[in-house]
Amino acid sequence: MRYRILLDLDNQLFTAVDVNNSNRFGNGTTIEKAIENLKQAA
C-alpha cells in the first residue's frame, strides 16, 4: 500500500491517506498510529 502523510499543525494530528483512494485514510497522534489506522480502514 502506498500512502502520503499529512500533519495538522493546529491539532498535532497525523493523517495517512491512500494514494489510490483519498477516501481511505487513518488519523493518529503518531505517524505509526495513522498508518495502522489506515490499514484497518482497508
Side-chain angles (χ1 to χ4, degrees), residues 2-22:
R2 296 185 61 193
Y3 50 85
R4 64 177 177 247
I5 301 293
L6 308 170
L7 172 59
D8 179 345
L9 293 173
D10 292 332
N11 298 312
Q12 295 296 307
L13 190 66
F14 290 96
T15 302
V17 181
D18 185 337
V19 296
N20 296 318
N21 182 353
S22 61

Side-chain angles (χ1 to χ4, degrees), residues 14 16 26-39:
F14 290 96
N27 295 318
T29 54
T30 65
I31 293 173
E32 292 82 6
K33 287 182 183 179
I35 293 168
E36 182 179 323
N37 290 334
L38 169 62
K39 289 180 179 178

